[in-house]
Amino acid sequence: MDYKVYLDYTMELLSKIKIPSYIIDTPFLWDDRYDGELRKTILNDAFLINHKETFQNFINCSDKNNTILLIHDSFACDYIYIKLPDSKKAFFAGPFSFEKFTNQRIDDLCSYNSIPPRFTDFMQLYYAALPVFADERCIEAIINCLCSKLWSSYTLEKKHFLNKNASEYMYNDYTPEPTKQSIEVLEQRYNDESLLMEYVAHGDFESIDKLAHLNSSGIKPRLSDSIRDRKNFMIILNTLCRKAAQSAYVHPIHLDEISRKFAIRIESCTTIAQLETLENEITRKYCLLVQSYSLRKYSKPVQNIINYISFNLTDDLSLNTISAEFALNSSYVSSLFKRETGSTLTNFVNNKRIEHAIYLLNTTKLPIQDIAVQCGITDVNYFTKLFKKIKNMTPSQYREMIQ
């Protein structure tokens, strides 16, 4: 039977979600790669041999044709074993988990397996690197698709390999280094944080969406309170995004406002689900902030002029007044501003005032006259005429449209 293409596709798909998979010989023989070298790292030589033999015997005794074995071990790691048809080969995948590893869960697992306290940091890093899928159907669907190509009918058996480790004397007497997988996950996270800051600085939310490791749920827990732990990482995310937007020359007034609002919202969250939703919103809102207010591409004089206009819309913003404010020649200001922004100073001011008018129309019930004044235009007829020129409708028509 030629099923190699289906195996290759399944293994590629699993690799995308960070689950290692292998085509191996039968009968099953343990390889330290299969658990990311967990047992090799923490068990002493005598108990390591025993563990390997016990796991091997467990699988070989459970080995059946037309059967998927879904195995759960005493370290809360899950594996998939499938004896391939018409062959002396088998498909093996793992480790992964169907339940998130909180600090409490890790402590319980260490207690269950009599793992000494010196291994706590190592175990936290190990579990932080382990792929977690809250919905078992995700993995089962992938494996069912493969097996439907291998056999016309088959069964799925869930087995628990719970050889409880009853003594701490079975463990090595030194504090281990992180596994290769743990190190790679840490390196990937720090690399993704750098990419995150770069993407935020360019207002590129689509690229942020593709960062597979951004979600803080995969980071080593630091506190016993999972929600407080997650909030702390969200505070870090808020800070990273603020600094990234600052590098794009977004004015501190805008940065302080959005950062303060998110800090309040982070603390008001009461569930992990709320924090996960907010995490996505934080990166998106900072990107939109950069898109709207980044002055990266402008010279320092033009940056100063744009910020002055934005924060003084009710003042006299004529060319002569602005030039005098910064002690610059008005002809120089006019030429420089047009060259860098593609707009005359007057048109830029008018557009900023109408943008603010739209904000007030969307968020308040102020009379049109009052909105005009708050935008720096005392003549409501001129304000209406300017609004219609830019938006192709009057302020009253716009208000009716959004109601």
Side-chain angles (χ1 to χ4, degrees):
M1 178 186 293
D2 185 12
Y3 45 71
K4 183 177 183 300
V5 64
Y6 304 115
L7 283 171
D8 289 345
Y9 178 79
T10 301
M11 294 176 74
E12 177 68 18
L13 185 57
L14 290 174
S15 73
K16 296 295 184 184
I17 54 177
K18 307 303 177 184
I19 298 179
S21 58
Y22 315 89
I23 302 299
I24 60 176
D25 293 322
T26 57
F28 177 83
L29 291 175
W30 178 261
D31 188 301
D32 292 329
R33 296 176 300 164
Y34 296 162
D35 66 352
E37 300 190 343
L38 172 63
R39 289 168 175 81
K40 176 185 176 183
T41 304
I42 66 175
L43 297 174
N44 63 40
D45 291 342
F47 283 98
L48 176 60
I49 293 172
N50 176 265
H51 254 258
K52 289 180 177 180
E53 291 177 348
T54 306
F55 201 104
Q56 289 169 185
N57 293 336
F58 176 80
I59 288 187
N60 290 325
C61 290
S62 304
D63 191 359
K64 299 177 184 178
N65 293 324
N66 298 52
T67 302
I68 306 167
L69 291 180
L70 191 56
I71 303 159
H72 181 83
D73 73 5
S74 57
F75 294 106
C77 295
D78 292 285
Y79 303 89
I80 298 162
Y81 179 87
I82 302 169
K83 183 178 180 181
L84 297 175
D86 306 323
S87 170
K88 293 184 178 181
K89 300 286 186 180
F91 172 86
F92 186 81
F96 57 91
S97 178
F98 292 122
E99 185 179 347
K100 290 183 178 181
F101 291 97
T102 62
N103 262 327
Q104 184 60 56
R105 188 181 183 214
I106 294 172
D107 288 345
D108 291 344
L109 286 167
C110 288
S111 175
Y112 177 85
N113 288 289
S114 301
I115 298 175
R118 64 178 177 274
F119 289 93
T120 299
D121 284 347
F122 170 84
M123 297 304 294
Q124 286 182 336
L125 284 170
Y126 178 82
Y127 286 125
L130 204 67
V132 175
F133 305 90
D135 191 341
E136 293 186 28
R137 293 173 297 181
C138 170
I139 303 301
E140 290 181 10
I142 294 173
I143 300 306
N144 282 329
C145 285
L146 169 63
C147 291
S148 68
K149 302 299 182 181
L150 302 181
W151 307 290
S152 57
S153 63
Y154 57 90
T155 59
L156 187 152
E157 294 186 2
K158 297 182 179 181
K159 300 278 189 177
H160 284 75
F161 174 63
L162 301 176
N163 57 332
K164 183 176 180 180
N165 306 309
S167 170
E168 66 176 65
Y169 298 107
M170 64 192 296
Y171 296 100
N172 287 319
D173 57 4
Y174 59 85
T175 302
E177 296 295 323
T179 63
K180 179 182 177 182
Q181 185 181 14
S182 298
I183 292 171
E184 289 175 349
V185 168
L186 281 173
E187 290 174 343
Q188 183 67 56
R189 179 164 68 85
Y190 278 86
N191 180 63
D192 282 348
E193 284 182 358
S194 297
L195 289 174
L196 166 68
M197 294 186 71
E198 180 181 343
Y199 294 150
V200 169
H202 289 85
D204 185 3
F205 184 76
E206 290 184 0
S207 293
I208 293 175
D209 241 1
K210 298 174 184 177
L211 289 179
H213 299 276
L214 176 61
N215 193 298
S216 58
S217 60
I219 300 174
K220 170 187 169 183
R222 298 176 181 177
L223 302 173
S224 58
D225 184 339
S226 297
I227 292 180
R228 180 67 264 168
D229 200 55
R230 190 64 174 270
K231 285 182 178 181
N232 289 348
F233 282 114
M234 294 287 286
I235 292 169
I236 293 170
L237 175 65
N238 190 22
T239 302
L240 288 175
C241 290
R242 176 172 58 80
K243 299 301 291 184
Q246 183 182 14
S247 73
Y249 295 93
V250 175
H251 196 278
I253 286 182
H254 302 304
L255 296 174
D256 186 67
E257 180 181 9
I258 190 173
S259 177
R260 178 179 54 79
K261 287 180 177 178
F262 277 130
I264 294 170
R265 291 185 60 188
I266 288 168
E267 291 303 326
S268 68
C269 289
T270 57
T271 66
I272 295 294
Q274 290 174 342
L275 289 165
E276 287 177 345
T277 300
L278 185 58
E279 183 173 311
N280 196 51
E281 184 181 343
I282 286 174
T283 52
R284 181 180 293 275
K285 288 291 180 65
Y286 272 103
C287 285
L288 291 174
L289 186 76
V290 169
Q291 291 175 16
S292 299
Y293 295 107
S294 174
L295 303 179
R296 178 203 304 274
K297 62 183 179 180
Y298 301 125
S299 64
K300 188 62 176 175
V302 172
Q303 289 177 21
N304 290 337
I305 291 169
I306 290 175
N307 282 327
Y308 183 81
I309 291 169
S310 298
F311 303 132
N312 297 279
L313 286 177
T314 59
D315 292 355
D316 177 5
L317 296 177
S318 65
L319 174 61
N320 289 335
T321 301
I322 290 176
S323 300
E325 176 69 27
F326 294 101
L328 296 171
N329 179 274
S330 59
S331 296
Y332 169 74
V333 169
S334 178
S335 175
L336 179 67
F337 196 88
K338 178 66 182 296
R339 182 168 68 249
E340 293 192 14
T341 67
S343 170
T344 66
L345 185 65
T346 299
N347 285 341
F348 187 89
V349 169
N350 287 340
N351 277 287
K352 281 291 181 182
R353 283 173 164 159
I354 298 308
E355 283 179 16
H356 187 55
I358 289 172
Y359 169 77
L360 294 174
L361 286 166
N362 285 332
T363 59
T364 73
K365 294 182 179 181
L366 289 171
I368 303 299
Q369 172 71 52
D370 292 350
I371 290 176
V373 171
Q374 290 198 24
C375 294
I377 303 173
T378 55
D379 186 341
V380 69
N381 293 324
Y382 174 70
F383 170 73
T384 301
K385 181 180 179 181
L386 182 63
F387 192 101
K388 185 172 183 179
K389 178 182 178 182
I390 294 174
K391 303 304 297 182
N392 293 318
M393 65 180 75
T394 66
S396 299
Q397 289 170 335
Y398 180 86
R399 174 165 276 171
E400 290 175 4
M401 180 186 72
I402 63 174
Q403 287 177 347

